[in-house]
Amino acid sequence: MTASTGAAAVADRIERSNARGLNAVIAYDRGILLAQADARSLTTGSGPLEGVAVAIKDNICTLEYPTTCASRILDGYRSPYEATAIARLKAAGALIACKTNLDEFAMGASTEYSAFGRTRHPLDPERVPGGSSGGSAVLVADGAVAAALGSETGGSVRQPAAFCGIVGIKPTYGRVSRYGLVAFGSSLDQIGVFGRTVDHAARVLGVISGRDGNDPTSADLDPLSPGESRTDLSGVVIGTPREFFPPDLDPAIQAACDRAVQRFRDAGASIRPVSLPHTRLAVPTYYVIAPAEASSNLARFDGIRYGLRVSHPGADPAALYRATRGAGFGPEVRRRIILGTYVLSAGYYGKYYQKAQVARRLITQDYQQVFRGPATPDGVDFLFTPTTPTPAFKAGEKVNDPVAMYHADVFVCTANLAHLPAVSVPIGRTSGLPIGGQILAPHFEEAGMLEVARHLERLVDATEEAR
């Protein structure tokens, strides 16, 4: 199959997804996709992703399409540069398929907070696909593309991957350059990868990873290599943190996780219960730190330098700011900016923001004490948990209850706070809806983590109903 023929097939599949009303795509042009393929056909390139079409979450800067962050404040905005991850995809032979829908500025867990309408779950349109990277997850799950880029600030790749029944990888903070990712929470943000399989996602991660002089938080490491393939998991110790298996965990998710743990044992792994006692602080900690960083990062959208400007009588800049930001930002973004500004304000900074940073350190120390290392030779190699506490919920079920929505991230946000790598893999279904299992690893141990994920993928029937 030629690059042009393959691109035409991808275009057909994207158009079928659009015709189904999934609303996973914000920007797409068949001609742009085919032109990229034609250009590749004129070269002798044979990159590791040659001819592979990758969908891109619309908070990652591209030259082919606008970058809107699913917000009216950036409607039609075109970036003058492209993200490092995009440049690396192209250098590897990949094609930029389209830009995908998301919760506005990546703030949400359901892709219901988009200025361009909610994205629908590919198996049940009455349910959400998760968020904030819901559009990317849906296109992969619907078979339109084999892989897609998303972003993670508090679980926004792994959670929709679990809801949609695909693989979602969050790399270690610094493994992938953030240059060209529109900032939400700078100490938390990551570019992550969706794939139909672990190998699909791992190939893309390997291409986009590695040091980048444009990003001072980029780790001084070479691109991720696949690592040594294992025939079994003999000698591997996998921890199961009790805080991730509460009594009120959905019974089907508990059953699917129990089955996955038994498969690990069958493959030779040792299973050890462990405790991460400060996990209970994760959601309140995240929802202090992330809004505080959002308040700072989104201050640049003021109606003066770029993006939407709502004219206002008089010369008062404050009135211009209020009018533009009031019209340009949706309710969830406004809520988080207000919350973040409050916790950073005089008199409350110490009471909330500084305490949240202390809690973040405690959460990080929990992981350091359970993972194997020089100071913890008897620690575990990896952790296994459910990715989400429930399967995909119905649209509208949590949208008016922010606290309930925030708790959809309860099992995923700790990895962002602690800068750990993690991957979600499909491990079963309940009433036809996918269930995800999560593997967490020590810093920069993605190669080993993905090998364990490959074993899990082979050992568990992801379509089997959990009972």
Side-chain angles (χ1 to χ4, degrees):
M1 181 184 293
T2 66
S4 297
T5 303
V10 171
D12 289 343
R13 293 196 295 269
I14 291 173
E15 288 162 13
R16 282 198 293 271
S17 291
N18 289 345
R20 291 184 59 201
L22 298 178
N23 199 31
V25 177
I26 286 179
Y28 160 76
D29 186 306
R30 186 184 186 94
I32 291 175
L33 177 55
L34 297 183
Q36 293 176 72
D38 289 342
R40 295 300 306 182
S41 298
L42 297 175
T43 72
T44 57
S46 57
L49 296 177
E50 195 66 39
V52 175
V54 181
I56 310 297
K57 186 177 180 179
D58 197 28
N59 63 341
I60 301 172
C61 292
T62 55
L63 295 174
E64 291 79 7
Y65 294 108
T67 299
T68 71
C69 297
S71 177
R72 294 299 179 195
I73 209 162
L74 283 177
D75 195 6
Y77 171 74
R78 284 188 173 269
S79 172
Y81 68 97
E82 64 186 3
T84 296
I86 300 300
R88 289 178 175 175
L89 286 176
K90 291 179 177 179
L95 312 177
I96 306 306
C98 59
K99 299 296 284 291
T100 61
N101 205 1
L102 65 148
D103 287 297
E104 184 181 8
F105 279 98
M107 299 184 194
S110 62
T111 317
E112 292 176 280
Y113 296 123
S114 169
F116 303 107
R118 77 173 181 91
T119 297
R120 292 165 176 80
H121 195 287
L123 298 177
D124 182 350
E126 298 304 313
R127 294 183 182 269
V128 304
S132 63
S133 308
S136 289
V138 165
L139 283 189
V140 174
D142 200 45
V145 292
L149 296 190
S151 72
E152 278 237 11
T153 306
S156 289
V157 167
R158 288 163 292 146
Q159 187 250 25
F163 277 6
C164 291
I166 58 174
V167 174
I169 303 173
K170 174 219 173 294
T172 308
Y173 185 86
R175 171 70 78 177
V176 175
S177 172
R178 295 187 299 114
Y179 182 73
L181 172 65
V182 178
F184 161 14
S186 298
S187 76
L188 301 160
D189 292 341
Q190 296 258 253
I191 290 176
V193 184
F194 295 100
R196 293 182 200 165
T197 67
V198 173
D199 281 337
H200 283 139
R203 284 174 61 202
V204 174
L205 179 61
V207 163
I208 66 174
S209 65
R211 64 177 66 86
D212 178 23
N214 289 321
D215 177 7
T217 65
S218 171
D220 188 18
L221 294 171
D222 291 334
L224 180 67
S225 61
E228 183 179 354
S229 180
R230 303 176 58 103
T231 57
D232 59 28
L233 297 178
S234 298
V236 174
V237 181
I238 297 175
T240 52
R242 61 178 59 94
E243 291 79 8
F244 285 71
F245 295 90
D248 60 349
L249 181 65
D250 183 283
I253 291 179
Q254 179 71 61
C257 288
D258 289 344
R259 186 174 61 201
V261 166
Q262 185 57 50
R263 297 295 184 272
F264 281 136
R265 286 196 181 97
D266 295 342
S270 298
I271 306 299
R272 183 182 304 166
V274 297
S275 178
L276 300 168
H278 295 99
T279 297
R280 62 186 174 80
L281 303 176
V283 170
T285 298
Y286 175 82
Y287 281 100
V288 170
I289 293 173
E293 295 184 3
S295 173
S296 175
N297 279 322
L298 271 62
R300 70 194 71 180
F301 302 105
D302 55 14
I304 294 177
R305 285 166 282 190
Y306 51 83
L308 177 71
R309 174 183 293 188
V310 176
S311 59
H312 194 278
D316 179 10
L320 172 64
Y321 297 161
R322 284 194 299 270
T324 298
R325 291 163 69 83
F329 289 138
E332 181 61 21
V333 173
R334 293 198 298 268
R335 178 185 294 121
R336 297 201 195 191
I337 290 173
I338 291 168
L339 176 60
T341 303
Y342 177 79
V343 301
L344 291 175
S345 63
Y348 296 98
Y349 180 86
K351 185 176 181 180
Y352 294 106
Y353 186 74
Q354 286 184 327
K355 284 188 176 179
Q357 293 291 7
V358 171
R360 183 178 191 174
R361 287 194 293 273
L362 294 172
I363 290 166
T364 302
Q365 288 169 10
D366 283 351
Y367 284 105
Q368 292 169 343
Q369 290 166 4
V370 300
F371 280 131
R372 193 192 307 272
T376 53
D378 295 327
V380 303
D381 299 302
F382 306 98
L383 295 170
F384 175 74
T385 78
T387 309
T388 61
T390 68
F393 48 87
K394 290 188 175 181
E397 184 177 311
K398 301 180 189 292
V399 73
N400 294 317
D401 186 347
V403 174
M405 184 74 79
Y406 297 165
H407 272 86
D409 294 335
V410 65
F411 295 155
V412 285
C413 65
T414 56
N416 299 83
L417 290 165
H419 288 173
L420 297 172
V423 57
S424 180
V425 179
I427 60 171
R429 297 203 172 189
T430 173
S431 301
L433 294 172
I435 298 169
Q438 177 178 223
I439 302 164
L440 298 99
H443 295 129
F444 300 109
E445 293 295 332
E446 284 91 345
M449 177 187 78
L450 293 173
E451 186 57 29
V452 173
R454 290 185 184 95
H455 276 277
L456 182 60
E457 187 175 58
R458 291 194 293 266
L459 294 167
V460 172
D461 180 358
T463 65
E464 184 179 346
E465 285 284 318
R467 304 186 189 282

